[in-house]
Amino acid sequence: MLVFAMVAHEYAHAAVALQQGDDTAYVLGRVTLNPLPHLDPVMSLILPALLWFGSGGRFTFGGAKPVPINSRKFRNFKRGDILVSAAGVVTNFLLAFVWSLVFVLLGLAGRAMPGSSEVLLTAQRMMVHGIWLNLLLCFFNLIPIPPLDGSHLLYHALPPKAGEWYRGLQRFGYLPIFALMFLFRPLMEVLLTPAFSLMNLLGALIAPYQVGSGGVV
């Protein structure tokens, strides 16, 4: 569920960039749901593993390979940048609702086929993970700190000079994000409040359709 959530996020960036006139990602084979072109050995495998085992399973962080974007190819720079930046988070947001619907359908199938409850309950557990991971990716990437997607959206709301300075923070890479996660954890939790709130709402809506009583939601 995590791999698909990340791949769908990057695919959306690449597909919308192509639609807006930038074929950079397309030429590199990134307009695909095949996970291999989107996974980065360091960010997708090595770093998450090191953080997970180094923290005793308390923390991890990683990501897919960023989609290369050449905004100079957009037919309209502002429109293209906003649409491409929003594409990933919108996709994750919609996937959370798709997996919620699948959870309900699995629950209805469980009522019609009681003998398959164990298999369907396992599938529902997967859907719950999918809902949460997509909400987390959506609202995490909306945090307005470069190089996250939210920073591109905020950039266009700032005056030109302030926007240029703000966008220049991208040269620090993921350092501002790591600082937020490790040094300002309470603020991080506040920024992710929409993800927790929406997860609670969706969980309450789909809970009546849970197969059996395994405490999935």
Side-chain angles (χ1 to χ4, degrees):
M1 299 306 290
L2 176 59
V3 170
F4 185 79
M6 292 193 301
V7 168
H9 182 102
E10 299 303 332
Y11 166 81
H13 284 314
V16 175
L18 179 62
Q19 190 272 332
Q20 292 298 309
D22 176 22
D23 63 349
T24 306
Y26 174 77
V27 171
L28 294 174
R30 299 295 299 277
V31 186
T32 176
L33 288 173
N34 178 359
L36 294 180
H38 297 290
L39 298 181
D40 179 78
V42 175
M43 286 297 295
S44 305
L45 301 172
I46 298 176
L47 179 61
L50 288 175
L51 291 174
W52 177 260
F53 291 110
S55 65
R58 295 187 302 272
F59 173 80
T60 191
F61 176 81
K65 187 187 303 180
V67 169
I69 301 294
N70 184 354
S71 56
R72 288 175 295 182
K73 291 186 176 182
F74 291 155
R75 288 185 289 272
N76 180 295
F77 168 72
K78 183 175 181 179
R79 174 183 170 83
D81 195 40
I82 291 175
L83 290 176
V84 171
S85 299
V89 295
V90 169
T91 297
N92 289 133
F93 185 79
L94 293 178
L95 277 175
F97 287 89
V98 170
W99 299 146
S100 298
L101 176 60
V102 174
F103 184 101
V104 171
L105 295 177
L106 290 169
L108 295 175
R111 295 176 184 177
M113 300 179 292
S116 60
S117 59
E118 186 174 345
V119 173
L120 294 174
L121 182 61
T122 299
Q124 283 190 327
R125 287 194 178 98
M126 291 179 62
M127 295 307 107
V128 171
H129 286 300
I131 297 167
W132 170 241
L133 289 168
N134 276 282
L135 290 176
L136 188 61
L137 283 173
C138 171
F139 290 101
F140 176 80
N141 278 285
L142 278 175
I143 295 175
I145 296 179
L148 298 180
D149 299 328
S151 68
H152 289 261
L153 301 176
L154 178 59
Y155 163 78
H156 293 286
L158 296 174
K161 288 187 177 180
E164 289 300 324
W165 174 87
Y166 176 68
R167 203 153 195 171
L169 296 175
Q170 292 191 41
R171 65 181 181 274
F172 296 110
Y174 286 96
L175 288 179
I177 296 298
F178 286 134
L180 177 63
M181 290 190 296
F182 288 110
L183 302 179
F184 303 97
R185 292 293 294 275
L187 176 58
M188 184 75 172
E189 293 177 3
V190 171
L191 293 172
L192 292 177
T193 296
F196 290 104
S197 299
L198 194 50
M199 183 65 203
N200 290 334
L201 175 60
L202 290 175
L205 291 174
I206 66 177
Y209 298 92
Q210 179 177 313
V211 177
S213 56
V216 174
V217 180

